[in-house]
Structure formats: C-alpha cells, structure tokens
Amino acid sequence: MTRLFPPESAVVGKIHEQLAHLEMIHRGFPGPLGYVQVLTREQISLLVETAFWASLRLNEGRTTRVRVAAVALENTSDAVSFATPVAYDEVQIAKLAPAVPSGGCLAVSGVGNDLIIWGYCRTRPRAIVDPVMVEVSEPGTVRVNVGPFEPFAVLNGRTNPIIEGTCTNLAVYMQRVLQKVLPSDDFTETQAVWRESVALADLARQIAGDGHGGLILIVPGETGSWFESVNPFPYRFAIPDTTIRDLIRKNLADGVARGQMLQRLADTPMLDDLKNLIMGILATNWGGMDRGVRAAASLATVDGAIVVTRDLEVLGFG
C-alpha cells in the first residue's frame, strides 16, 4: 500500500535531521541523562503513518485520542511495561488509547525497522532524552513533537507544514499582542504577568488536545463596546472566574514565603536529619495553575467560545 508519509518524503527527512541534531547536542551534555533514541527514516515513517490511520479508527464509538512516544524504559520514571510487548499497529493503538492516563503516553521502541508498544507512561517523558512524540487528537491529523518543538510538524497527508514552534513561542506572542507589560521594578509581578501569558498558551493547547474544537475570545475587560458583538451571550458568569490568575499569584506568594521560611530554618539550631526532612517538605512544589486551566478548557466543549479578558478573568462561554 502506498504510504502518505514514506521514508523518502521531505517531512520524514526533516524529522530525522532534527533528531540527529538533538542527539549530537545531547552528547555534549554532562551527567547521566540517558540517551536519545534516534529513529531511522523507516521507523519515523511507520510511527507517523500508523498513528495517522489509528486516528481514523473508533473504539466502542470513541474517537482515538492518544500520545505516542518513542522512549526507552530506562529513560522513564513512572512507566508500566507489558510482560509481552504488542505490535505497533492501528488496531492496538485504538484499543489501548483509553487506558493511557491523562497526560501520559503509549511507549514504543524500535526493533530493527519495526516498532513495538512496550507499555505506557503515566506522564510525558523528558524531551531532552526522548524527543519524539506523536499526538493524535482528531481524525486525520497528527502532530509530531521533536525535542523542544511542540509541534514540530502538523501532518494530515496534504499540506504537512513544518512549524518548529517551542513551548514558549505562543506565550511570547500572547504577551506581545495583548501588550502585557513586564514590570522592571517588581520581580514577582513580572513573573505573574509572564505566567498569565503562559496560562493562555496552555489553555489553547488543552483545548486543542481535547479534540472538541472551540475558541478563546480575548476581550479588553469585563465591560465595554465589545459586548455588542457577542450578544446574546448565553452563559455569562454572574461573577468573573479569576481562578487561574489567583492561583498564579498565590503560588508565587507561597514560593516567596517558603523561601523565607527555609532561610529561617537553615539558621535554626536543630538536628541536621530533622532539619533536612522539614526543608525537603517545605521545598516541595505544592501545585500550579494546571487545575484552573483544565477547568477553563472544559468550557470549550460547549459550542461557541470561552470569553476571557486580557487579565485572565473568565467571563463565560458559549
């Protein structure tokens, strides 16, 4: 059967070249970071082609939505491996996709010119070590992430554009077009404004990853002439939801407070074992803005747009 993404195609060649470049960079890193699994052109072709056809399959009426990562078991920290690996084919991908935890991925490795599914990861592996990931979120389209580029390419068998967008490109763009000024005299507020831009980018990615479609309409403020353009506004909130913005500032404030407490603890006379235990607990990251972004993204499953101000007040949806 003729492939949509054969080994000799330009897009497979671009992915292979980028992998080889990342592997060369990785060799220059000191420390035990594992190794980069450089797939052959044939394996890349198989990885993408099979994911594409799996995206067109249904399993018990559900559209296939899953991430697939080329990752070695020794480079994972939370993987579940199968006693017997299974074939990397569209039937197995569609069957296993619902079992993969949210935020996780199917794990594959190369065997000769073939690929096998050896298990799944509960979370995404580190890009610096295992830089190839295919995301299936809608029928007939796959996104290929290579290292820090997410996505590197969007493939649908027609245009197949190479994008090479890093995880911060969209956040930088949002910060610029929304004219969100980074204060030079307030480090904490600078961090807060930047994280708001990151949150808007994450919100867009969550919506795209959910595969239901949806828009984010960013408006100047809670009131204004813009309202006439969305009238009627069927699901406007009585009080704007500021959860994401509040979580960002709370986490920053908590970080400052923990830092001050750690410094005071370091100066306190007590047994080193007890001090280290307490410092370890205090240094733990107690969470971020993810739950606020996740809750807002779910609103996009209803027809229409999520309406958000430039200062991250969610005004409603639909």
Side-chain angles (χ1 to χ4, degrees):
M1 184 179 70
T2 302
R3 294 187 188 179
L4 291 174
F5 313 103
E8 64 275 11
S9 66
V11 67
V12 169
K14 283 284 190 180
I15 294 170
H16 186 261
E17 288 172 11
Q18 186 61 45
L19 275 176
H21 181 64
L22 288 174
E23 195 274 335
M24 182 181 67
I25 294 174
H26 182 266
R27 275 190 269 120
F29 272 83
L33 291 178
Y35 67 93
V36 172
Q37 189 175 193
V38 181
L39 303 179
T40 66
R41 280 175 171 257
E42 174 65 29
Q43 289 171 334
I44 295 170
S45 172
L46 181 62
L47 180 72
V48 175
E49 186 87 13
T50 307
F52 176 85
W53 292 112
S55 75
L56 303 178
R57 279 186 168 269
L58 299 178
N59 181 31
E60 297 182 355
R62 294 186 295 262
T63 302
T64 300
R65 295 176 53 246
V66 70
R67 293 188 184 96
V68 180
V71 56
L73 176 60
E74 55 267 34
N75 287 345
T76 65
S77 59
D78 60 359
V80 178
S81 58
F82 300 143
T84 304
V86 299
Y88 179 73
D89 60 43
E90 60 195 75
V91 174
Q92 294 289 355
I93 293 173
K95 183 182 294 185
L96 291 171
V100 178
S102 176
C105 58
L106 283 177
V108 307
S109 285
V111 178
N113 274 328
D114 293 326
L115 296 172
I116 57 168
I117 302 173
W118 59 260
Y120 64 87
C121 302
R122 295 185 177 92
T123 57
R124 295 176 54 168
R126 296 174 297 169
I128 189 63
V129 175
D130 294 290
V132 191
M133 181 175 295
V134 175
E135 297 190 43
V136 177
S137 60
E138 59 184 293
T141 301
V142 296
R143 295 195 295 272
V144 182
N145 302 332
V146 183
F149 300 111
E150 299 183 12
F152 180 81
V154 178
L155 310 181
N156 57 18
R158 294 184 179 88
T159 55
N160 305 325
I162 302 293
I163 294 177
E164 297 180 278
T166 69
C167 57
T168 60
N169 284 155
L170 183 54
V172 171
Y173 174 78
M174 298 301 295
Q175 185 256 327
R176 184 174 70 249
V177 299
L178 295 177
Q179 301 178 13
K180 294 175 73 67
V181 178
L182 302 175
S184 59
D185 57 347
D186 188 336
F187 177 77
T188 300
E189 185 60 21
T190 295
Q191 287 291 305
V193 172
W194 169 243
R195 291 188 188 190
E196 287 177 357
S197 301
V198 172
L200 285 167
D202 286 348
L203 180 59
R205 291 193 185 92
Q206 288 268 16
I207 292 170
D210 285 347
H212 293 283
L215 300 171
I216 304 172
L217 176 63
I218 303 175
V219 298
E222 185 179 350
T223 59
S225 58
W226 63 265
F227 181 72
E228 292 304 317
S229 66
V230 295
N231 190 22
F233 187 171
Y235 305 114
R236 184 170 188 173
F237 296 156
I239 301 174
D241 181 0
T242 60
T243 300
I244 302 174
R245 189 180 69 184
D246 295 345
L247 281 172
I248 288 171
R249 282 165 171 74
K250 181 178 185 302
N251 287 331
L252 285 170
D254 288 349
V256 171
R258 285 200 302 274
Q260 294 172 344
M261 193 174 298
L262 285 168
Q263 183 59 55
R264 292 176 60 186
L265 182 62
D267 298 334
T268 301
M270 66 171 62
L271 293 174
D272 285 344
D273 288 348
L274 179 58
K275 184 184 293 187
N276 291 338
L277 176 62
I278 297 173
M279 291 179 74
I281 294 172
L282 289 175
T284 301
N285 184 354
W286 294 106
M289 59 191 177
D290 290 352
R291 62 186 177 92
V293 171
R294 176 70 267 165
S298 66
L299 304 177
T301 59
V302 178
D303 290 341
I306 303 172
V307 184
V308 185
T309 72
R310 64 185 299 278
D311 295 320
L312 267 180
E313 299 173 297
V314 181
L315 304 182
F317 61 99

